[in-house]
mmCIF file of all heavy atoms in Angstrom:
data_model
loop_
_atom_site.group_PDB
_atom_site.id
_atom_site.type_symbol
_atom_site.label_atom_id
_atom_site.label_comp_id
_atom_site.label_asym_id
_atom_site.label_seq_id
_atom_site.Cartn_x
_atom_site.Cartn_y
_atom_site.Cartn_z
ATOM 1 N N PRO A 53 -30.732 21.835 19.633
ATOM 2 C CA PRO A 53 -31.005 22.914 18.707
ATOM 3 C C PRO A 53 -29.999 23.302 17.773
ATOM 4 O O PRO A 53 -30.142 24.083 16.961
ATOM 5 C CB PRO A 53 -31.430 23.992 19.791
ATOM 6 C CG PRO A 53 -30.641 23.676 20.990
ATOM 7 C CD PRO A 53 -30.683 22.176 21.022
ATOM 8 N N HIS A 54 -28.747 22.755 18.043
ATOM 9 C CA HIS A 54 -27.590 23.185 17.280
ATOM 10 C C HIS A 54 -27.484 22.288 15.971
ATOM 11 O O HIS A 54 -26.610 22.530 15.145
ATOM 12 C CB HIS A 54 -26.272 23.134 18.066
ATOM 13 C CG HIS A 54 -26.351 24.112 19.238
ATOM 14 N ND1 HIS A 54 -26.400 25.408 18.957
ATOM 15 C CD2 HIS A 54 -26.263 23.835 20.548
ATOM 16 C CE1 HIS A 54 -26.458 26.024 20.168
ATOM 17 N NE2 HIS A 54 -26.381 25.032 21.088
ATOM 18 N N VAL A 55 -28.207 21.315 15.923
ATOM 19 C CA VAL A 55 -28.233 20.409 14.642
ATOM 20 C C VAL A 55 -28.595 21.186 13.420
ATOM 21 O O VAL A 55 -29.720 21.918 13.443
ATOM 22 C CB VAL A 55 -29.026 19.144 14.774
ATOM 23 C CG1 VAL A 55 -29.112 18.366 13.453
ATOM 24 C CG2 VAL A 55 -28.552 18.300 15.950
ATOM 25 N N ASP A 56 -27.779 21.277 12.450
ATOM 26 C CA ASP A 56 -28.248 22.015 11.295
ATOM 27 C C ASP A 56 -29.155 21.272 10.354
ATOM 28 O O ASP A 56 -30.106 21.804 9.818
ATOM 29 C CB ASP A 56 -26.962 22.365 10.518
ATOM 30 C CG ASP A 56 -27.101 23.308 9.314
ATOM 31 O OD1 ASP A 56 -27.794 24.363 9.618
ATOM 32 O OD2 ASP A 56 -26.742 23.063 8.268
ATOM 33 N N LYS A 57 -28.815 19.959 10.240
ATOM 34 C CA LYS A 57 -29.644 19.089 9.398
ATOM 35 C C LYS A 57 -29.593 17.668 9.800
ATOM 36 O O LYS A 57 -28.433 17.180 10.147
ATOM 37 C CB LYS A 57 -29.142 19.276 7.941
ATOM 38 C CG LYS A 57 -29.950 18.458 6.919
ATOM 39 C CD LYS A 57 -29.330 18.668 5.513
ATOM 40 C CE LYS A 57 -29.776 19.889 4.876
ATOM 41 N NZ LYS A 57 -31.170 19.910 4.470
ATOM 42 N N VAL A 58 -30.640 16.934 9.697
ATOM 43 C CA VAL A 58 -30.759 15.480 10.012
ATOM 44 C C VAL A 58 -31.016 14.863 8.669
ATOM 45 O O VAL A 58 -32.191 15.125 8.183
ATOM 46 C CB VAL A 58 -31.636 15.072 11.180
ATOM 47 C CG1 VAL A 58 -31.630 13.516 11.424
ATOM 48 C CG2 VAL A 58 -31.190 15.873 12.408
ATOM 49 N N LEU A 59 -30.367 13.949 8.208
ATOM 50 C CA LEU A 59 -30.565 13.225 6.992
ATOM 51 C C LEU A 59 -31.054 11.743 7.328
ATOM 52 O O LEU A 59 -30.588 11.254 8.317
ATOM 53 C CB LEU A 59 -29.344 13.158 6.019
ATOM 54 C CG LEU A 59 -28.838 14.367 5.575
ATOM 55 C CD1 LEU A 59 -27.634 14.116 4.679
ATOM 56 C CD2 LEU A 59 -29.884 15.063 4.716
ATOM 57 N N ILE A 60 -31.956 11.313 6.613
ATOM 58 C CA ILE A 60 -32.376 9.909 6.707
ATOM 59 C C ILE A 60 -32.337 9.209 5.418
ATOM 60 O O ILE A 60 -32.510 9.824 4.356
ATOM 61 C CB ILE A 60 -33.887 9.807 7.347
ATOM 62 C CG1 ILE A 60 -34.867 10.520 6.521
ATOM 63 C CG2 ILE A 60 -33.885 10.225 8.796
ATOM 64 C CD1 ILE A 60 -36.221 10.164 6.828
ATOM 65 N N ALA A 61 -31.957 7.965 5.521
ATOM 66 C CA ALA A 61 -31.921 7.017 4.288
ATOM 67 C C ALA A 61 -33.183 6.139 4.375
ATOM 68 O O ALA A 61 -33.391 5.402 5.410
ATOM 69 C CB ALA A 61 -30.676 6.267 4.325
ATOM 70 N N LYS A 62 -33.961 6.078 3.345
ATOM 71 C CA LYS A 62 -35.152 5.216 3.294
ATOM 72 C C LYS A 62 -35.040 4.235 2.154
ATOM 73 O O LYS A 62 -34.517 4.650 1.089
ATOM 74 C CB LYS A 62 -36.421 6.075 3.154
ATOM 75 C CG LYS A 62 -36.861 6.930 4.366
ATOM 76 C CD LYS A 62 -38.052 7.788 4.000
ATOM 77 C CE LYS A 62 -39.091 7.551 4.955
ATOM 78 N NZ LYS A 62 -40.215 8.383 4.812
ATOM 79 N N CYS A 63 -35.628 3.169 2.213
ATOM 80 C CA CYS A 63 -36.010 2.325 1.247
ATOM 81 C C CYS A 63 -37.486 2.053 1.315
ATOM 82 O O CYS A 63 -37.927 1.527 2.311
ATOM 83 C CB CYS A 63 -35.118 1.091 1.257
ATOM 84 S SG CYS A 63 -35.493 -0.131 -0.102
ATOM 85 N N ASN A 64 -38.261 2.374 0.184
ATOM 86 C CA ASN A 64 -39.693 2.281 0.328
ATOM 87 C C ASN A 64 -40.048 3.184 1.521
ATOM 88 O O ASN A 64 -39.676 4.470 1.501
ATOM 89 C CB ASN A 64 -40.242 0.899 0.552
ATOM 90 C CG ASN A 64 -39.813 0.054 -0.739
ATOM 91 O OD1 ASN A 64 -39.833 0.582 -1.836
ATOM 92 N ND2 ASN A 64 -39.410 -1.239 -0.482
ATOM 93 N N GLN A 65 -40.706 2.781 2.529
ATOM 94 C CA GLN A 65 -41.190 3.681 3.610
ATOM 95 C C GLN A 65 -40.275 3.352 4.867
ATOM 96 O O GLN A 65 -40.479 3.933 5.871
ATOM 97 C CB GLN A 65 -42.653 3.557 3.883
ATOM 98 C CG GLN A 65 -43.542 3.975 2.841
ATOM 99 C CD GLN A 65 -43.231 5.429 2.473
ATOM 100 O OE1 GLN A 65 -43.170 6.440 3.381
ATOM 101 N NE2 GLN A 65 -42.980 5.675 1.170
ATOM 102 N N ASP A 66 -39.335 2.424 4.736
ATOM 103 C CA ASP A 66 -38.630 1.979 5.810
ATOM 104 C C ASP A 66 -37.263 2.933 6.101
ATOM 105 O O ASP A 66 -36.541 3.076 5.037
ATOM 106 C CB ASP A 66 -38.087 0.635 5.702
ATOM 107 C CG ASP A 66 -39.215 -0.395 5.639
ATOM 108 O OD1 ASP A 66 -40.187 -0.268 6.458
ATOM 109 O OD2 ASP A 66 -39.135 -1.235 4.926
ATOM 110 N N ILE A 67 -37.211 3.452 7.223
ATOM 111 C CA ILE A 67 -35.990 4.297 7.581
ATOM 112 C C ILE A 67 -34.798 3.381 7.972
ATOM 113 O O ILE A 67 -35.032 2.534 8.989
ATOM 114 C CB ILE A 67 -36.339 5.311 8.655
ATOM 115 C CG1 ILE A 67 -37.397 6.193 8.139
ATOM 116 C CG2 ILE A 67 -34.946 6.098 9.064
ATOM 117 C CD1 ILE A 67 -37.867 7.297 9.200
ATOM 118 N N LEU A 68 -33.784 3.418 7.235
ATOM 119 C CA LEU A 68 -32.563 2.428 7.545
ATOM 120 C C LEU A 68 -31.416 3.094 8.058
ATOM 121 O O LEU A 68 -30.518 2.308 8.550
ATOM 122 C CB LEU A 68 -32.297 1.807 6.151
ATOM 123 C CG LEU A 68 -33.575 1.080 5.375
ATOM 124 C CD1 LEU A 68 -33.092 0.482 4.037
ATOM 125 C CD2 LEU A 68 -34.132 0.004 6.203
ATOM 126 N N GLY A 69 -31.266 4.429 7.931
ATOM 127 C CA GLY A 69 -30.009 5.053 8.391
ATOM 128 C C GLY A 69 -30.298 6.540 8.565
ATOM 129 O O GLY A 69 -31.231 7.066 8.087
ATOM 130 N N THR A 70 -29.353 7.134 9.285
ATOM 131 C CA THR A 70 -29.475 8.473 9.661
ATOM 132 C C THR A 70 -28.083 9.082 9.843
ATOM 133 O O THR A 70 -27.077 8.407 10.132
ATOM 134 C CB THR A 70 -30.420 8.802 10.801
ATOM 135 O OG1 THR A 70 -30.548 10.165 10.967
ATOM 136 C CG2 THR A 70 -29.812 8.210 12.071
ATOM 137 N N LEU A 71 -27.871 10.463 9.850
ATOM 138 C CA LEU A 71 -26.812 11.142 10.282
ATOM 139 C C LEU A 71 -27.208 12.557 10.563
ATOM 140 O O LEU A 71 -28.240 13.058 10.171
ATOM 141 C CB LEU A 71 -25.560 11.026 9.407
ATOM 142 C CG LEU A 71 -25.563 11.644 8.019
ATOM 143 C CD1 LEU A 71 -25.622 13.167 7.874
ATOM 144 C CD2 LEU A 71 -24.391 11.170 7.183
ATOM 145 N N GLN A 72 -26.327 13.221 11.338
ATOM 146 C CA GLN A 72 -26.594 14.768 11.695
ATOM 147 C C GLN A 72 -25.479 15.390 11.240
ATOM 148 O O GLN A 72 -24.345 15.134 11.317
ATOM 149 C CB GLN A 72 -26.745 14.758 13.299
ATOM 150 C CG GLN A 72 -27.902 13.904 13.770
ATOM 151 C CD GLN A 72 -28.057 13.930 15.284
ATOM 152 O OE1 GLN A 72 -27.473 14.714 16.012
ATOM 153 N NE2 GLN A 72 -28.726 13.007 15.737
#
Side-chain angles (χ1 to χ4, degrees):
H54 298 297
V55 174
D56 189 48
K57 182 181 277 292
V58 178
L59 297 177
I60 58 170
K62 289 176 125 177
C63 181
N64 301 319
Q65 294 306 308
D66 297 324
I67 298 173
L68 307 176
T70 185
L71 65 71
Q72 298 173 21

